[in-house]
Amino acid sequence: MNYETLYRQSIEQPEAFWAEQARAIDWHKPFDRVLEYDQPPFRRWFAGGETNLCFNAVDRHLAERGEQLALAAISTETGERKHYTYRELHREVNAFAAVLVELGVGRGDRVVIYMPNMAEAVFAVLACARIGAIHSVVFGGFAAHNLALRIDDARAKLVICADAGMRAGKVIRYKPLLDAAIEQAQFPPEHVLVVSRGLDPELTLVEGRDLDYATLKARHLDAQVPVAWLESNEPSYLLYTSGTTGKPKGVQRDVGGHAVALALSMRTVFDVGPGQVMFSTSDVGWAVGHSYNIYGPLLVGATSLLYEGTPLNPDPGIWWQLCAEYGVRTMFSSPTAIRVLKKQDPAWLRKHALPDFRWLFLAGEPLDEPTARWISEGLGKPVIDNYWQTETGWPVLCLHPGLGLKPVKFGSPGLPNFGYKLRVINEVTGQDAAANEKGVLVAQPPLPPGCLTTVWNDDERFLRSYFGHFNELLYSSLDWAIRDDDGYTFILGRTDDVINVAGHRLGTREIEEAVATHSSVAEAAVIGVQDEVKGQVPVVFATLKSPLSEKSARHAAALALQQRVVDQLGAVARPARVYLVGALPKTRSGKLLRRSIQALAETRDAGDLSTLDDPNALEDIRTSLARGADAGS
Ligand code: AMP
């Protein structure tokens, strides 16, 4: 069937469409209704149905593909490669689940997972899913404060952590960061389960609280843990993401809808089926990691490659070497990663023959045409942009190579995915924008299966953050967009104060709050400034309580602010530059004019300044920019 027919059906006859798609997974109890929509925009897909993500990802493949490779966890940092067939994966997941049960974790309990891309992270996720515990993976690049916020919001019963990760040959100790987070947390977990790879010789366990996974696992090597059959709409996991406030939102996903959407996308979008190999370079801590390193490939009986390392070590051909060795069909990465590779000799792209390689998908941030062309021509393979959000869990805009590739238009992620009723709305009038006219990208509810069901513990915030922007009940993506005459949508950037650094989403408010915790700081504004490799980088403008005039003192103070952000939020949020300024531009009502600062930093027009409280503030920013940063360059 072609894309147009299927898409039309998904919009015009959603219940028939999704009932058909639901056949791709196993149900313990069939659903009573495909869609319950009594309380818009809340919706319940496959209401009354009972299923389990772990069963669908692992157990049901045992009969047909028990000896097939399910997971290859490759670390070019530790030099280890670990391979698991579906049968071995089943054994590992059962052992892990048995340990969780021993620790008193059960259905509905929250488990925070703080681990790098290692096989045990996948086991931990699937073990939670097996027993109906709600996992909340926290990206390893986040530091103590960020971790503490997530532990508290989820009221985690257990935290599972690695002793350490590695990046570019450097050991990054996870456990001390977790200890610091627990120190800060108002609701510390009962236990910490530590999976050690022996990377941290100084690893210490807190008596009574911390437990060594290997020791507990030894008691459960052959455990068989029954799966918990969950109603389709029970929460499967939480994944925190940045918004406009300093407090991240816990995106909540369901069970049945999530499984059905991912299974559909594997076939129609990513073109990966049973026995085929998918390599996503994402970290398990991001939405892509959840959907296309863990659940998606395993739900369809494919093989998933998990990679710990950089794209440059041991050499810039490593990813393509792995694609050749494992027969990768579909690869998924980010524009930033490709821009990193672009600084290397393009001969690396041709070093390994890739007869099985079909598609390179890139997502998470705008894909610029030079990068798309460079990689596509270099590899001699099609590059497929696709647009989505942590909230949606699977692509919103994409091309569907699995159904026959549509013409690629550089700069556009493509056409609406199944079930997404997308519109582009004028932000002032609330009317539909004409073709080629800029507006806000919105989706008319009910959102399709796979998208968030609510914000954890905060339905109000779910409504306010996503559905409170227009008179009509519409899900706002908070992205600017243009739709052309052929229906291709172009994404033009966020409408809110979220920035995108190397495909990682950061809230400027979170960084501002971290800077403001430093006792020297009066006030801070953080903006995202264009960067050649990372897309955007955070830049700090801060006023000090006692202004400093001496250059070296300013430098020291600015460095301290940079470090404060790294300590609180993690290296991922490190400000590229810090400027100490005399005043920050604000409106008369006290609103920070981040966009005007950003315009100046990118040498654009700062816009209408008639509402400015202190007209000298922008001049001050201009002077600081001309003088150069106090830290960073
Ligand atoms: P995240 O929730 O971290 O995946 O970030 C989602 C945001 O990243 C979106 O709201 C967009 O602003 C941006 N984004 C993701 N994919 C794309 C893409 N293919 N093109 C342009 N922007 C994208």
Side-chain angles (χ1 to χ4, degrees):
M1 208 177 287
N2 66 17
Y3 161 75
E4 283 77 8
T5 313
L6 270 181
Y7 178 70
R8 204 174 320 113
Q9 201 205 1
S10 78
I11 298 300
E12 290 171 4
Q13 299 159 292
E15 302 203 20
F17 176 85
W18 289 110
E20 176 62 26
Q21 303 313 323
R23 287 151 51 100
I25 68 160
D26 283 5
W27 297 87
H28 176 67
K29 174 176 173 284
F31 40 90
D32 306 316
R33 288 175 69 185
V34 181
L35 172 64
E36 252 178 37
Y37 195 47
D38 314 330
Q39 269 188 297
F42 297 96
R43 81 280 187 234
R44 292 164 50 80
W45 286 103
F46 311 115
E50 286 179 5
T51 185
N52 180 285
L53 279 162
C54 178
F55 178 85
N56 274 281
V58 184
D59 301 50
R60 71 162 170 158
H61 301 307
L62 293 178
E64 234 179 282
R65 50 191 73 253
E67 312 321 316
Q68 179 201 304
L69 185 62
L71 176 71
I74 299 147
S75 174
T76 51
E77 298 289 346
T78 65
E80 262 191 314
R81 286 193 191 194
K82 292 189 164 180
H83 295 140
Y84 302 89
T85 62
Y86 272 98
R87 197 167 310 287
E88 288 161 342
L89 180 62
H90 183 255
R91 191 162 185 259
E92 293 287 349
V93 170
N94 271 282
F96 215 117
V99 170
L100 296 184
V101 171
E102 184 185 328
L103 295 178
V105 177
R107 186 169 182 161
D109 289 335
R110 276 78 59 205
V111 175
V112 163
I113 299 174
Y114 186 54
M115 298 170 95
N117 275 7
M118 54 197 274
E120 287 80 0
V122 177
F123 307 155
V125 161
L126 293 170
C128 286
R130 185 169 199 86
I131 62 172
I134 302 168
H135 58 77
S136 173
V137 184
V138 177
F139 172 54
F142 285 141
H145 173 70
N146 257 330
L147 187 51
L149 282 179
R150 287 155 171 80
I151 291 172
D152 275 343
D153 193 72
R155 304 275 166 99
K157 182 163 189 167
L158 175 75
V159 179
I160 306 172
C161 86
D163 62 337
M166 280 183 76
R167 192 156 176 86
K170 218 175 107 195
V171 171
I172 299 151
R173 300 171 71 210
Y174 277 44
K175 181 64 174 26
L177 292 174
L178 174 60
D179 289 339
I182 293 179
E183 190 98 327
Q184 286 179 30
Q186 284 178 39
F187 305 99
E190 280 171 32
H191 288 294
V192 169
L193 185 60
V194 183
V195 182
S196 172
R197 290 187 289 177
L199 294 177
D200 180 4
E202 289 161 49
L203 177 70
T204 45
L205 301 188
V206 175
E207 183 80 39
R209 186 196 73 186
D210 299 353
L211 302 150
D212 172 51
Y213 175 64
T215 311
L216 297 194
K217 180 188 171 189
R219 303 209 276 265
H220 299 287
L221 291 179
D222 295 310
Q224 297 277 345
V225 178
V227 300
W229 297 111
L230 304 179
E231 198 277 337
S232 179
N233 295 277
E234 285 185 50
S236 59
Y237 77 74
L238 311 179
L239 183 55
Y240 284 82
T241 190
S242 299
T244 39
T245 71
K247 188 172 173 253
K249 293 183 283 243
V251 163
Q252 179 176 321
R253 205 92 63 207
D254 63 4
V255 178
H258 175 47
V260 171
L262 290 184
L264 171 66
S265 70
M266 287 301 294
R267 180 166 59 84
T268 58
V269 179
F270 296 101
D271 189 26
V272 175
Q276 294 175 334
V277 186
M278 178 157 187
F279 176 18
S280 158
T281 66
S282 172
D283 189 277
V284 287
W286 302 119
V288 181
H290 286 63
S291 295
Y292 298 110
N293 285 82
I294 304 179
Y295 287 118
L298 298 178
L299 282 170
V300 300
T303 298
S304 177
L305 256 59
L306 186 71
Y307 181 76
E308 180 185 40
T310 77
L312 303 177
N313 289 328
D315 63 55
I318 179 65
W319 281 359
W320 321 113
Q321 180 192 326
L322 293 174
C323 286
E325 275 182 51
Y326 289 86
V328 169
R329 175 181 179 86
T330 290
M331 182 161 164
F332 193 155
S333 193
S334 68
T336 290
I338 304 304
R339 287 191 292 260
V340 167
L341 289 172
K342 207 167 139 199
K343 300 196 160 189
Q344 310 293 323
D345 186 348
W348 287 110
L349 304 177
R350 295 281 183 161
K351 187 154 185 269
H352 305 276
L354 299 172
D356 300 312
F357 194 107
R358 298 288 298 272
W359 319 104
L360 173 63
F361 284 80
L362 298 176
E365 55 181 315
L367 172 61
D368 57 288
E369 183 166 345
T371 301
R373 283 196 187 282
W374 180 82
I375 189 71
S376 176
E377 285 161 16
L379 282 177
K381 307 283 181 186
V383 169
I384 318 285
D385 191 358
N386 58 119
Y387 160 88
W388 45 303
Q389 308 180 303
T390 304
E391 288 83 351
T392 67
W394 63 304
V396 178
L397 292 168
C398 53
L399 296 175
H400 291 78
L403 296 170
L405 183 63
K406 291 263 167 314
V408 171
K409 283 198 192 190
F410 283 118
S412 168
L415 304 165
N417 207 348
F418 304 115
Y420 287 98
K421 238 188 251 184
L422 299 180
R423 290 160 60 185
V424 177
I425 300 278
N426 181 296
E427 83 280 14
V428 181
T429 64
Q431 304 291 312
D432 286 275
N436 303 309
E437 204 177 278
K438 181 176 164 181
V440 181
L441 182 68
V442 304
Q444 205 166 304
L447 292 174
C451 296
L452 82 170
T453 48
T454 187
V455 169
W456 171 251
N457 236 344
D458 204 343
D459 287 347
E460 265 309 306
R461 194 167 179 203
F462 171 68
L463 294 173
R464 200 174 58 243
S465 305
Y466 301 110
F467 291 91
H469 299 269
F470 299 98
N471 288 336
E472 259 182 277
L473 195 61
L474 295 169
Y475 169 85
S476 175
S477 69
L478 302 167
D479 277 308
W480 297 111
I482 279 181
R483 188 149 53 183
D484 75 4
D485 295 313
D486 302 325
Y488 280 65
T489 300
F490 294 74
I491 301 295
L492 308 175
R494 299 282 301 193
T495 64
D496 58 5
D497 292 319
V498 163
I499 61 174
N500 195 317
V501 180
H504 306 330
R505 173 164 156 189
L506 300 171
T508 48
R509 291 273 307 152
E510 291 169 67
I511 306 177
E512 284 165 7
E513 284 179 17
V515 172
T517 60
H518 199 282
S519 56
S520 67
V521 172
E523 224 179 350
V526 172
I527 55 165
V529 173
Q530 268 171 23
D531 179 83
E532 205 189 309
V533 173
K534 295 181 172 178
Q536 285 188 308
V537 287
V539 173
V540 174
F541 292 82
T543 57
L544 297 183
K545 288 176 186 156
S546 317
L548 299 165
S549 49
E550 217 249 308
K551 200 173 166 204
S552 61
R554 296 167 63 84
H555 181 56
L559 278 182
L561 300 190
Q562 228 176 4
Q563 192 55 42
R564 175 55 60 103
V565 175
V566 173
D567 291 344
Q568 289 236 325
L569 304 181
V572 63
R574 177 193 295 276
R577 292 182 283 286
V578 177
Y579 294 88
L580 302 179
V581 294
L584 293 172
K586 289 187 192 162
T587 61
R588 284 189 205 111
S589 57
K591 211 170 162 301
L592 258 179
L593 286 168
R594 294 189 189 82
R595 270 171 220 292
S596 303
I597 308 177
Q598 182 179 20
L600 290 182
E602 293 179 346
T603 57
R604 288 182 284 115
D605 179 9
D608 176 17
L609 303 177
S610 57
T611 57
L612 207 61
D613 181 36
D614 171 6
N616 295 326
L618 272 186
E619 209 34 59
D620 194 51
I621 301 273
R622 240 185 229 118
T623 314
S624 306
L625 286 165
R627 193 181 55 215
D630 294 297
S633 55

